[in-house]
Structure formats: structure tokens, C-alpha cells
Amino acid sequence: MTKTIDIQAGPHAFGDGAHPTTRGVLEALAMMDPAQFTPRNACDMGAGSGIISFALIEKFGCEVVAVDVE
């Protein structure tokens, strides 16, 4: 089953997945092996739209605190 999330971040939000830093974090998460590293919780500071938070939840099934000022 494929999951689809439609993110509409608005004109000032950061985190649509296209920015190089977001891409880099998503690529790093993709390389992590949950059998060797499984966090119980995580924090996404400057979360923007929350795309990294969603990736953390999907990959590790952990609780995530996401914080942003926008």
C-alpha cells in the first residue's frame, strides 16, 4: 500500500522536500538501518511543513516533536 501526503506549506514555509538540506536529511534517513538504530523519540527543530518529521515516523515509528516559528 502506498501512502500519499499532500503538503501545502504556503509561500513562506520551509520544507517542501526540494531544498538541498531537506533532501540531504531524507537521503541520510533512507540509509539508516532501523535494526541498528531505533530511536524512541526524535525532535525536528525548524520543522517547516514537517516533511522530515513524517519521514522519521515512517522509518522508525517513534514519537516526534516538531517545532517551528512560522
Side-chain angles (χ1 to χ4, degrees):
M1 172 184 259
T2 302
K3 298 177 188 174
T4 302
I5 297 173
D6 180 23
I7 297 175
Q8 297 179 10
H12 301 292
F14 183 87
D16 66 355
H19 193 276
T21 57
T22 305
R23 276 278 127 223
V25 172
L26 293 173
E27 289 172 12
L29 283 172
M31 292 187 293
M32 297 176 94
D33 181 358
Q36 295 193 10
F37 176 75
T38 306
R40 284 183 269 168
N41 50 50
C43 183
D44 183 1
M45 297 298 294
S49 63
I51 195 167
I52 292 173
S53 299
F54 291 121
L56 286 162
I57 293 165
E58 184 175 334
K59 179 83 176 196
F60 300 111
C62 64
E63 291 186 20
V64 177
V65 173
V67 180
D68 201 289
V69 296
E70 288 293 327

